[in-house]
Amino acid sequence: MFDINSLPQLIRRDIEYGETNLPPMPDKPPAVLDVDPSWKRQWLMAKTRLVEGSLPDITTWDTKRREYLARYLALAGFAEMELIVLGCAYAATHYEMPMAWRACLLKQGYEDMQHAASYITRACRISGADYWQGVENQAYRKNIQARHAILRRDLGGFFVMIGLHTEAYNAETNIMEPFIFDPVLARWVPNEIAEEAGHLTFLYPAMREYLHSGSPEEQARRKRQFVADNDELMETHLALNRNNAESFLLGKLGLDPSVMEAFAHLPQRTQFIYRTIGIEEEYWPG
């Protein structure tokens, strides 16, 4: 059984604060969301759900469905911790970059660590299990480790894996419903969306600067590698996320199939991202 007091005080205080001090809901989207229209749309959708009070009461769910939700949240927390948080720490300590970039990466890692901690803890609250001790299904870790070849190759690989596939694409494909099912996470979702958009206020300009640094030959090489890495992750990482959403969120949690519609927008999303970070059309796939 889960006992909040079993967690180290250093993180327990933050978790307890987040569960008892819910953030206010602004009347208008925060200005930081202007960096990306997809994140702004996600924020407005979340606010609509919260204001309308149309959230389901999971206390009426049967035990199996609550366990499914809990495991999904726990795995989402572990994946965020082991891919994004540790990925930011790896990049900040292994790659050459301006000091301001290192500070931004560590801030991003800290904020996403808080997201991960909240997902894991709320999963424990829902199920009574202590997911902080681990999750039996290890497939997610194998999937994360498979991404390390790109993530840990160089700064460009990090930008594609983390900048694009955990921040930029998620603004389009993020399925909020499982997080909004929990009353605490639901109130924090708009705040977390604003934080994700805040990460892009750094990542978009940093990726653009990376792609346009060095000789013309080096810039061309970086852009070609960037697009190739993104194509590979579209066929592996993002496709896996989509398959998992179909099999688990629709098949087990019983979400409406309409939540999958965002994946149809990926070509347009890719064009928006490439224009934003300065990859010319001559480098685009196809």
Side-chain angles (χ1 to χ4, degrees):
M1 294 295 291
F2 173 66
D3 179 6
I4 188 70
N5 293 313
S6 66
L7 294 177
Q9 180 174 305
L10 190 63
I11 61 172
R12 186 174 70 242
R13 287 183 173 180
D14 283 352
I15 293 171
E16 290 177 329
Y17 179 89
E19 290 192 332
T20 56
N21 294 268
L22 302 180
M25 174 60 72
D27 293 330
K28 298 180 180 180
V32 71
L33 294 170
D34 291 338
V35 70
D36 194 296
S38 290
W39 275 129
K40 178 178 285 189
R41 184 173 62 253
Q42 291 276 10
W43 190 94
L44 290 169
M45 289 170 57
K47 179 180 179 180
T48 298
R49 287 181 172 92
L50 290 171
V51 171
E52 291 180 350
S54 58
L55 307 181
D57 180 7
I58 63 173
T59 62
T60 64
W61 289 7
D62 60 55
T63 301
K64 180 59 68 176
R65 195 181 185 198
R66 286 170 60 86
E67 289 178 353
Y68 283 147
L69 174 61
R71 284 181 61 80
Y72 179 86
L73 294 177
L75 285 169
F78 270 83
E80 185 148 351
M81 188 80 75
E82 296 183 358
L83 184 62
I84 306 175
V85 178
L86 297 185
C88 286
Y90 185 93
T93 55
H94 285 80
Y95 304 139
E96 288 299 322
M97 65 182 72
M99 185 56 67
W101 288 20
R102 297 187 198 280
C104 287
L105 289 179
L106 293 175
K107 178 177 175 58
Q108 177 184 344
Y110 173 71
E111 291 179 347
D112 282 337
M113 180 278 294
Q114 291 184 309
H115 300 172
S118 66
Y119 302 160
I120 297 170
T121 302
R122 295 309 300 173
C124 297
R125 300 290 200 195
I126 291 170
S127 67
D130 188 355
Y131 289 115
W132 278 97
Q133 299 302 316
V135 183
E136 291 180 6
N137 186 344
Q138 299 298 309
Y140 77 93
R141 182 169 288 120
K142 293 180 180 178
N143 296 330
I144 289 171
Q145 291 172 345
R147 310 284 83 83
H148 285 174
I150 292 177
L151 172 62
R152 297 184 177 182
R153 186 194 63 233
D154 57 19
L155 185 56
F158 166 81
F159 278 143
V160 178
M161 181 65 255
I162 301 302
L164 264 57
H165 283 270
T166 70
E167 301 287 343
Y169 278 114
N170 278 9
E172 189 67 44
T173 61
N174 181 45
I175 298 175
M176 295 182 295
E177 277 76 1
F179 303 95
I180 290 184
F181 287 160
D182 178 81
V184 172
L185 293 180
R187 285 287 300 274
W188 279 100
V189 163
N191 185 76
E192 292 187 5
I193 289 174
E195 289 184 344
E196 300 297 351
H199 300 162
L200 288 175
T201 65
F202 155 68
L203 287 167
Y204 278 154
M207 287 188 281
R208 190 179 189 94
E209 183 173 338
Y210 168 81
L211 293 168
H212 293 82
S213 297
S215 66
E217 294 77 14
E218 176 63 12
Q219 293 181 38
R221 184 198 68 77
R222 289 182 175 185
K223 292 173 185 177
R224 285 194 297 269
Q225 183 66 63
F226 199 95
V227 171
D229 288 340
N230 190 38
D231 287 347
E232 178 178 338
L233 290 172
M234 291 283 281
E235 295 177 359
T236 56
H237 180 79
L238 204 150
L240 183 64
N241 288 345
R242 177 166 46 199
N243 291 340
N244 286 342
E246 289 178 340
S247 63
F248 195 89
L249 297 183
L250 272 60
K252 293 186 180 298
L253 273 183
L255 299 190
D256 189 281
S258 63
V259 300
M260 303 299 298
E261 293 175 358
F263 288 97
H265 305 152
L266 291 177
Q268 295 87 345
R269 182 63 179 164
T270 298
Q271 293 176 12
F272 169 82
I273 293 169
Y274 283 174
R275 290 192 182 99
T276 301
I277 62 179
I279 296 181
E280 297 84 358
E281 290 190 34
E282 62 189 275
Y283 297 98
W284 294 7

